[in-house]
């Protein structure tokens, strides 16, 4: 199995190194990751300038590794162009990607881009606070998750979130809640106004969702699809008369 590893935290992230090491137990691994952090850049692609890659400035213990002056989605496009790829693993992100985060996550975008190119995509994230996540402690659980997902032919795009010392695994759906979208004004040292934006959920997580599973101490695995169509609404619209200009 040819495995391409990317992330959105950038080539220096310890989460990327951890994932590359675990993945090498499953097949041939190559790392192609952004040269600088691209968190929350979503599925952006670079179309207005050319991309290039260089050997990674980090030792990946014998694993081929490259940095790209682009986004996670760019890295997947370039990585799959450079060598045959059967699966893309994106992460391990330092920070959970649950609920609304799926809309702006660069980690998940790496996996989505893979699926757009006809390759399986798995995004992996873990909580990160002031101290670095215990990647050594996570290894066994990441391996268990990959054991399950790499052989599963039914799911193609999966968002995985792994809390520390998880109790087990739960298959979940995406939590969709209202967010506060707060804007915190401040002043920079030159007296200019600046703003921090925050996204904090306003309501508790619904049972069966990704947020709920991680709150309960479980690994959350959410199977996703690229088709955003609201089938229910479309069905409703289709029973009406087609729109005609008179
Ligand atoms: Mn990130």
């Amino acid at each position: 199995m040819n495995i391409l590893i990317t992330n959105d935290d950038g080539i220096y992230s310890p989460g990327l190194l951890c994932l590359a090491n675990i993945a090498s137990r499953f097949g041939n691994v190559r790392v192609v990751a952004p040269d600088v952090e691209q968190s929350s850049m979503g599925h952006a692609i670079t179309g207005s300038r050319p991309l290039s890659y260089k050997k990674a400035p980090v030792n990946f213990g014998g694993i081929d590794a490259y940095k790209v002056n682009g986004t996670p989605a760019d890295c997947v496009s370039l990585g799959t162009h450079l060598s045959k790829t059967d699966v893309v693993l994106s992460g391990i992100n330092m920070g959970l990607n649950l609920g609304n985060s799926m809309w702006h996550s660069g980690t998940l975008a790496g996996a989505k881009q893979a699926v757009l190119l006809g390759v399986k995509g798995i995004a992996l994230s873990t909580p990160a606070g002031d101290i670095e996540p215990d990647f050594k402690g996570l290894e066994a659980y990441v391996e268990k998750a990959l054991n399950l997902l790499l052989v599963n032919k039914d799911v193609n795009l999966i968002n995985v979130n792994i809390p520390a010392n998880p109790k087990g695994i739960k298959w979940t759906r995406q939590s969709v809640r209202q967010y506060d979208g707060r804007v915190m004004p401040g002043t920079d040292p030159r007296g200019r106004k600046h703003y921090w934006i925050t996204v904090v959920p306003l309501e508790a997580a619904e049972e069966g969702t990704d947020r709920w599973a991680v709150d309960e101490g479980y690994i959350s695995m959410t199977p996703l699809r690229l088709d955003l169509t609201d089938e229910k609404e479309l069905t409703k619209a289709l029973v009406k008369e087609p729109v005609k200009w008179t």
Side-chain angles (χ1 to χ4, degrees):
M1 192 186 319
N2 296 303
I3 307 169
L4 176 67
I5 309 283
T6 195
N7 75 348
D8 76 357
D9 292 334
I11 194 77
Y12 296 101
S13 170
L16 182 70
L17 179 62
C18 172
L19 184 55
N21 279 329
I22 299 165
S24 63
R25 300 168 198 164
F26 292 88
N28 303 319
V29 174
R30 175 173 280 201
V31 174
V32 180
D35 57 357
V36 294
E37 187 176 347
Q38 297 282 339
S39 289
S40 291
M41 297 303 277
H43 207 136
I45 55 169
T46 303
S48 54
R49 59 170 175 82
L51 295 169
S52 58
Y53 68 94
K54 285 190 183 130
K55 201 124 191 73
V58 188
N59 182 2
F60 278 82
I63 295 170
D64 251 3
Y66 303 92
K67 61 171 185 170
V68 174
N69 57 344
T71 64
D74 292 335
C75 291
V76 170
S77 294
L78 197 57
T80 52
H81 167 81
L82 293 171
S83 61
K84 190 185 159 351
T85 304
D86 301 308
V87 60
V88 172
L89 306 180
S90 184
I92 302 169
N93 188 61
M94 288 172 50
L96 292 165
N97 275 308
L98 302 165
N100 73 312
S101 307
M102 289 200 207
W103 290 100
H104 57 256
S105 168
T107 307
L108 180 57
K112 287 189 312 191
Q113 183 68 6
V115 176
L116 281 172
L117 298 171
V119 170
K120 187 176 192 134
I122 304 171
L124 300 113
S125 306
T126 195
D130 293 337
I131 53 161
E132 198 169 283
D134 172 18
F135 285 112
K136 200 80 206 137
L138 277 182
E139 263 190 35
Y141 300 108
V142 174
E143 194 170 343
K144 276 184 212 294
L146 291 181
N147 257 322
L148 204 73
L149 295 174
L150 290 175
V151 295
N152 188 327
K153 298 265 183 279
D154 295 327
V155 286
N156 224 15
L157 177 60
I158 313 103
N159 188 33
V160 183
N161 282 274
I162 309 174
N165 307 309
K167 296 179 198 164
I169 295 173
K170 282 196 191 290
W171 287 96
T172 58
R173 63 198 157 82
Q174 180 184 15
S175 167
V176 179
R177 285 302 208 208
Q178 211 68 69
Y179 288 80
D180 69 346
R182 265 168 67 204
V183 177
M184 302 284 293
T187 313
D188 78 5
R190 294 167 123 189
R192 293 173 299 200
K193 273 236 168 275
H194 63 205
Y195 303 88
W196 284 102
I197 59 164
T198 67
V199 275
V200 178
L202 290 172
E203 304 145 297
E206 322 88 302
E207 193 172 331
T209 63
D210 50 1
R211 270 180 64 207
W212 167 82
V214 170
D215 281 353
E216 298 283 310
Y218 289 90
I219 295 176
S220 164
M221 288 189 181
T222 311
L224 300 171
R225 60 176 182 185
L226 295 178
D227 183 354
L228 297 177
T229 310
D230 185 334
E231 300 289 349
K232 227 165 97 188
E233 281 305 311
L234 186 65
T235 312
K236 274 197 258 168
L238 282 175
V239 298
K240 292 176 199 158
E241 283 295 298
V243 179
K244 277 183 190 154
W245 308 131
T246 48

